[in-house]
Amino acid sequence: MTRRTIRTIILLATISIAGLVLTQLFWMDKAFELREREFDDNVTAALREVGLQIKDINKDSSEVAPVRKLSRNYFVVATSDTLHPYLLESLLENEFRTRNILTDFEYNIYDCFTDSLVFDGFVALSGQEYERPTEVEIPRSDSDSHYFGVYFPDKQNYLSGQMGLWLLSSGILLMVFAFFAYTLAVIVKQKRLSEIKSDFINNMTHEFKTPISTISASSDLLMSGAVEADAAKRQRYYRMIHDESDRLRLQVEKVLQMAQFDRSEIDLNLVDADLHQLIRKATASVQILLDERKGSIGLELNATDPISSVDELHFSNIIRNLLDNAIKYCKHEPRIVISTGNIRQGIAIRVSDNGIGIPTKLQREIFGKFYRVPTGNVHNVKGFGLGLFYVKSLVKAHGGTIVVESGDNGSTFVVWLPTSRK
Ligand code: ADP
């Protein structure tokens, strides 16, 4: 699958998910509206029935006044006389129960002679403990006759509670999204892994091919006896074989070390060492490489306390890797500066170069295993993308940190290690 296909799939999937969510929300809203209308009709019919019963009791033969909805939760019915609250309560409760309107309600009775709402009672029909919501705004009817009103404080929740099927389907939809997102994440991860794998194989082939062909050409030449007479030439070919097999060994070691890191087996042979001395040694070991590129290294070893508890071999490899990179990723003559200083009860080692730099957004990635800054598949600089992973793992194992600062004019890697406290 190409990157473009994955991107298209993600885009289409996001659009369809957004479409599904919107449709679900739309239908849920419609369903709620429908339920509310049903509830209102039911309440209106119940209140009308209560109005009729009151008229019957009062032997009043006039028409029942229409039920009026004054707000979303409040309904009023005009009556021709004042009412006894308990009578009203029992009529209302009875009627609501018969019609299965099982949500809490408050009722009040308006007395037009005194112009006041004379009784405020409530009934917990839901069977749950009732708590009167504070700051309830119950509108006043503009009617100038007696009336009673019924207020449903919990109407919205009651209706939502009846939308169980919708909530279930939304839950299922959410689960489908979660699975879908997970699947996409796995696809993207697999894709990255397969890219890394093929990059690694490409790089490895490349890294191993060159020394192997040099060794094989040199040994062919030596075996053919063509340089039998020339001792200096012979010596050169022996050295070539030696150097190239050394390089191969280093590469193989790097790969093997990764397997060890994966199993978290970093064995450190810690000794109190003078880091300045180790830095000088590591610098000397890249001198030949530097000479080939007409480069130079400046040392500004200013730390007053350069003693740290490190594994000497691993520490030298950390510096060696940083120096190798500083030389490799430089288009002109490498100018490298290594400086040290004591900060935060430790020693900071800064390796600065005048190389090609690392784009800001990739600076976090470069420490990842097999990660190489994409160079458009041009293998002008060889590597496995393991060097900085190795460096970071080891710095961490030593209880230290590593950060990179990089711009167009070069990069600086800052390694901080704790100094030995006596
Ligand atoms: P490798 O050098 O084998 O590719 P590393 O893990 O050492 O792997 O480095 C990862 C990537 O970080 C490199 O591919 C390179 O793009 C970038 N990089 C590392 N060091 C430098 C540097 N000093 N200057 C510019 N880029 C660097």
Side-chain angles (χ1 to χ4, degrees):
M1 235 191 281
T2 62
R3 245 167 221 277
R4 223 173 128 190
T5 322
I6 291 185
R7 224 175 280 155
T8 317
I9 290 178
I10 292 178
L11 186 75
L12 288 178
T14 316
I15 292 174
S16 28
I17 285 177
L20 270 176
V21 171
L22 286 179
T23 318
Q24 177 83 0
L25 285 178
F26 175 78
W27 283 117
M28 264 180 89
D29 190 49
K30 282 269 164 255
F32 191 85
E33 225 174 75
L34 209 72
R35 281 225 170 258
E36 187 167 14
R37 209 172 307 152
E38 213 177 279
F39 178 88
D40 291 354
D41 288 350
N42 221 352
V43 167
T44 307
L47 293 182
R48 200 183 142 70
E49 184 57 40
V50 171
L52 268 174
Q53 288 168 7
I54 291 170
K55 282 201 179 294
D56 262 3
I57 292 166
N58 291 344
K59 309 259 182 296
D60 178 353
S61 57
S62 62
E63 273 285 302
V64 181
V67 177
R68 288 165 63 207
K69 185 179 173 190
L70 293 194
S71 79
R72 208 169 172 186
N73 303 34
Y74 189 52
F75 300 76
V76 294
V77 187
T79 54
S80 45
D81 210 341
T82 50
L83 274 170
H84 193 285
Y86 295 116
L87 169 68
L88 178 64
E89 180 175 319
S90 75
L91 289 178
L92 285 173
E93 184 172 348
N94 195 26
E95 199 54 37
F96 286 162
R97 278 196 198 283
T98 316
R99 291 174 188 265
N100 220 13
I101 306 171
L102 298 177
T103 180
D104 305 339
F105 68 89
E106 286 184 26
Y107 61 91
N108 46 36
I109 299 164
Y110 176 73
D111 186 339
C112 64
F113 299 141
T114 55
D115 186 27
S116 58
L117 281 168
V118 287
F119 193 82
D120 236 357
F122 51 81
V123 180
L125 268 192
S126 66
Q128 292 179 9
E129 211 158 291
Y130 180 81
E131 229 178 81
R132 190 184 202 280
T134 45
E135 294 175 32
V136 172
E137 268 296 319
I138 294 182
R140 267 313 252 285
S141 168
D142 51 7
S143 156
D144 49 10
S145 68
H146 300 292
Y147 69 84
F148 70 88
V150 179
Y151 177 75
F152 298 96
D154 218 16
K155 178 182 166 190
Q156 272 81 342
N157 285 342
Y158 173 68
L159 291 179
S160 309
Q162 292 189 332
M163 306 250 306
L165 207 66
W166 279 97
L167 290 179
L168 183 75
S169 75
S170 302
I172 294 174
L173 203 65
L174 262 179
M175 248 158 70
V176 171
F177 296 158
F179 279 129
F180 182 73
Y182 176 72
T183 316
L184 268 188
V186 170
I187 293 179
V188 171
K189 198 172 160 202
Q190 287 298 334
K191 164 89 182 133
R192 244 196 96 198
L193 277 178
S194 96
E195 272 173 10
I196 285 176
K197 201 171 110 193
S198 65
D199 273 2
F200 176 68
I201 293 172
N202 277 345
N203 287 330
M204 195 164 77
T205 325
H206 195 96
E207 290 275 276
F208 287 169
K209 225 166 73 186
T210 327
I212 290 174
S213 26
T214 317
I215 291 171
S216 126
S218 307
S219 51
D220 277 353
L221 214 85
L222 287 167
M223 281 191 308
S224 70
V227 287
E228 197 67 44
D230 189 340
K233 253 193 187 163
R234 242 182 17 240
Q235 199 53 38
R236 219 173 73 214
Y237 287 117
Y238 286 140
R239 173 138 300 278
M240 253 177 179
I241 293 175
H242 176 269
D243 288 352
E244 291 300 288
S245 51
D246 216 35
R247 206 169 116 190
L248 260 181
R249 188 180 52 77
L250 264 177
Q251 302 292 16
V252 172
E253 247 171 39
K254 246 191 203 174
V255 178
L256 287 180
Q257 249 158 12
M258 284 313 114
Q260 262 189 353
F261 285 174
D262 276 350
R263 295 195 298 266
S264 319
E265 291 171 5
I266 308 186
D267 271 340
L268 294 181
N269 182 16
L270 295 177
V271 290
D272 279 350
D274 180 346
L275 300 192
H276 286 170
Q277 218 172 332
L278 295 176
I279 291 171
R280 282 195 195 94
K281 264 197 208 159
T283 312
S285 73
V286 293
Q287 200 55 53
I288 301 175
L289 263 177
L290 262 184
D291 290 345
E292 273 175 17
R293 301 277 313 270
K294 299 195 178 64
S296 67
I297 297 188
L299 295 182
E300 295 169 9
L301 307 180
N302 299 326
T304 47
D305 176 14
I307 310 294
S308 177
S309 176
V310 293
D311 181 308
E312 291 190 327
L313 183 75
H314 282 316
F315 177 78
S316 305
N317 280 343
I318 290 174
I319 303 296
R320 199 38 227 265
N321 267 297
L322 294 179
L323 290 177
D324 274 346
N325 282 348
I327 300 168
K328 269 198 317 192
Y329 299 105
C330 181
K331 284 193 176 137
H332 24 263
E333 294 163 3
R335 299 272 168 262
I336 303 168
V337 176
I338 306 182
S339 60
T340 62
N342 284 112
I343 48 167
R344 285 185 291 117
Q345 297 175 2
I347 176 166
I349 304 149
R350 302 171 66 87
V351 181
S352 308
D353 62 47
N354 59 339
I356 55 175
I358 302 154
T360 316
K361 62 178 198 281
L362 301 181
Q363 285 172 14
R364 286 176 58 151
E365 312 256 8
I366 55 171
F367 298 101
K369 191 165 20 163
F370 299 124
Y371 187 84
R372 305 199 71 212
V373 173
T375 50
N377 266 343
V378 183
H379 292 283
N380 46 356
V381 183
K382 297 165 212 151
F384 291 142
L386 290 178
L388 288 179
F389 174 71
Y390 169 89
V391 167
K392 181 152 191 174
S393 308
L394 277 168
V395 169
K396 255 169 83 180
H398 278 89
T401 56
I402 178 164
V403 287
V404 61
E405 299 155 6
S406 188
D408 289 342
N409 301 326
S411 316
T412 301
F413 286 84
V414 187
V415 175
W416 178 89
L417 293 175
T419 40
S420 308
R421 305 259 114 212
K422 281 156 209 135

